[in-house]
Amino acid sequence: MLELGEALTDGVVREVREETGLIVEPLELIELLDRIHREGDRVRYHYVIADYLCSVTGGELKAASDADAVRWVERAEWNSHSALRLDPVTVRVIEAGWQRAKALNSKSGEAK
């Protein structure tokens, strides 16, 4: 959640550090989406979620206090019917980020 007056990319850096122990540099916005939770006709919560492609620049991967574990996964684990169960929207966003990272890596390889 952004703090009052905090720039979006600054919030990304802070949240990732708090939740994963990693220091990142946001590269670009992958997707902006919202989740609206209703109770009958009343809107209870309305979240706006900005998913960024980031480059890891430091830190050490570790679970925050609200998680039991954290780990890196191979593409096949989140892009298939494996034991890792993810919301289809989450899979779509991760895949879009993976494809964009792959394109950026190809482009930087061509520039060398």
Side-chain angles (χ1 to χ4, degrees):
M1 186 177 305
L2 285 178
E3 295 175 359
L4 185 61
E6 184 176 40
L8 186 55
T9 53
D10 292 340
V12 169
V13 171
R14 179 184 49 76
E15 283 287 335
V16 171
R17 178 95 187 242
E18 290 173 2
E19 297 295 327
T20 69
L22 298 175
I23 301 167
V24 298
E25 176 188 353
L27 301 176
E28 65 182 65
L29 180 67
I30 295 297
E31 185 164 344
L32 186 65
L33 53 98
D34 61 351
R35 296 280 175 116
I36 302 170
H37 298 272
R38 299 179 187 276
E39 288 179 358
D41 292 337
R42 181 174 169 243
V43 173
R44 181 79 174 138
Y45 301 104
H46 186 173
Y47 299 99
V48 177
I49 303 165
D51 289 302
Y52 273 82
L53 174 63
C54 295
S55 175
V56 176
T57 60
E60 185 177 324
L61 185 62
K62 61 184 175 192
S65 61
D66 62 345
D68 293 330
V70 63
R71 68 182 176 95
W72 295 106
V73 296
E74 295 293 328
R75 183 172 183 233
E77 291 181 81
W78 52 261
N79 200 15
S80 68
H81 299 290
S82 70
L84 189 59
R85 299 190 195 285
L86 297 173
D87 180 273
V89 174
T90 302
V91 172
R92 183 187 75 224
V93 171
I94 293 170
E95 178 65 22
W98 188 87
Q99 292 293 340
R100 186 63 184 136
K102 187 175 167 187
L104 289 173
N105 285 337
S106 302
K107 203 180 253 188
S108 69
E110 291 171 7
K112 290 180 182 178

